[in-house]
Amino acid sequence: DAKTTQPNSMESNEEEPVHLPCNHSTISGTDYIHWYRQLPSQGPEYVIHGLTSNVNNRMASLAIAEDRKSSTLILHRATLRDAAVYYCILEYGNKLVFGAGTILRVKS
Amino acid sequence: GAVVSQHPSWVICKSGTSVKIECRSLDFQATTMFWYRQFPKQSLMLMATSNEGSKATYEQGVEKDKFLINHASLTLSTLTVTSAHPEDSSFYICSARNRGQNTGELFFGEGSRLTVL
């Protein structure tokens, strides 16, 4: 299974940008990179996904390295509601296999 | 956005009994649904892929006779935990993808918390 590596936790100040890194050195050419986040006792929520090019949506931006061995999720202005566990996931064979994720704490 | 609903959201049962959890896609059709389990302070673990009209595909180490999955329609998949034991207590989460999409957003249910006494 393709594997992702993320920092265990990160901390950010409210209203500041947050860059959440993810390494996926074993990614194959057809694996999509997904980001989901999860609040306690809730199901995960989709954030963004991409294949090769950088992606933007209303929630975040996804910057993908040229060699695709790493990516960064960018929250442009963190709010207290963005505090969650963020999972960087490689999709292969139509499946999403979750890694450990990064706990994001946002300070007011 | 598309909605996936699970029922019940929480259930308590006695050891040895069976528990059924339903997963419904409310406003789209899903030929494929996925079942995960999550222990406290841990990540989600993929249990099985549920395919409409055919047998589920289980991940390595997941007992198919213990965790029965049925996907009888394009909007409903069920997970039955048979002869439940305390170690089966966990947060069970389903997800689904819109029919015809092989990639893209996966919609997750709210989760079902099972406690086996």
Side-chain angles (χ1 to χ4, degrees):
Chain A
D1 294 356
K3 189 176 175 180
T4 61
T5 305
Q6 300 176 252
N8 290 333
S9 64
M10 291 185 65
E11 202 167 76
S12 170
N13 293 317
E14 202 175 6
E15 301 296 317
E16 291 185 358
V18 182
H19 290 231
L20 296 164
C22 180
N23 287 319
H24 29 77
S25 58
T26 59
I27 192 171
S28 71
T30 56
D31 291 345
Y32 278 80
I33 302 160
H34 286 250
W35 284 82
Y36 284 75
R37 68 183 185 183
Q38 186 183 28
L39 295 170
S41 297
Q42 294 187 25
E45 175 189 27
Y46 170 81
V47 179
I48 201 165
H49 81 288
L51 184 61
T52 56
S53 304
N54 294 344
V55 185
N56 300 295
N57 65 21
R58 62 175 179 80
M59 287 183 72
S61 295
L62 176 60
I64 302 173
E66 200 168 326
D67 63 5
R68 300 208 329 124
K69 294 186 176 182
S70 66
S71 62
T72 302
L73 177 71
I74 303 164
L75 305 179
H76 297 286
R77 288 178 63 194
T79 69
L80 295 178
R81 287 177 296 181
D82 292 322
V85 180
Y86 285 78
Y87 295 101
C88 167
I89 306 157
L90 298 184
E91 176 183 5
Y92 65 99
N94 198 34
K95 297 192 295 188
L96 298 187
V97 178
F98 284 67
T102 296
I103 300 170
L104 175 65
R105 298 184 179 91
V106 180
K107 297 185 296 182
S108 59
Chain B
V3 177
V4 172
S5 179
Q6 284 184 238
H7 178 81
S9 55
W10 60 271
V11 57
I12 301 172
C13 70
K14 292 182 179 179
S15 187
T17 61
S18 295
V19 175
K20 180 186 285 188
I21 300 169
E22 293 184 347
C23 176
R24 294 181 184 273
S25 55
L26 297 185
D27 50 1
F28 66 98
Q29 293 181 331
T31 50
T32 303
M33 291 184 173
F34 304 92
W35 286 95
Y36 294 82
R37 68 187 296 185
Q38 184 175 33
F39 292 110
K41 298 192 185 302
Q42 293 188 23
S43 184
L44 284 76
M45 184 196 82
L46 180 64
M47 299 175 67
T49 302
S50 167
N51 301 298
E52 187 263 337
S54 65
K55 291 182 179 180
T57 304
Y58 290 82
E59 295 298 304
Q60 193 172 9
V62 178
E63 301 175 57
K64 61 181 181 181
D65 296 329
K66 173 77 172 173
F67 300 99
L68 301 179
I69 291 172
N70 183 279
H71 193 155
S73 78
L74 288 171
T75 58
L76 174 64
S77 175
T78 60
L79 167 68
T80 301
V81 183
T82 63
S83 187
H85 288 95
E87 57 265 30
D88 298 323
S89 299
S90 188
F91 194 48
Y92 292 88
I93 308 169
C94 73
S95 66
R97 179 170 278 143
N98 207 334
R99 181 184 186 185
Q101 282 188 284
N102 290 323
T103 185
E105 182 175 355
L106 206 59
F107 301 100
F108 283 83
E110 319 95 317
S112 299
R113 187 166 302 283
L114 170 64
T115 301
V116 184
L117 302 177

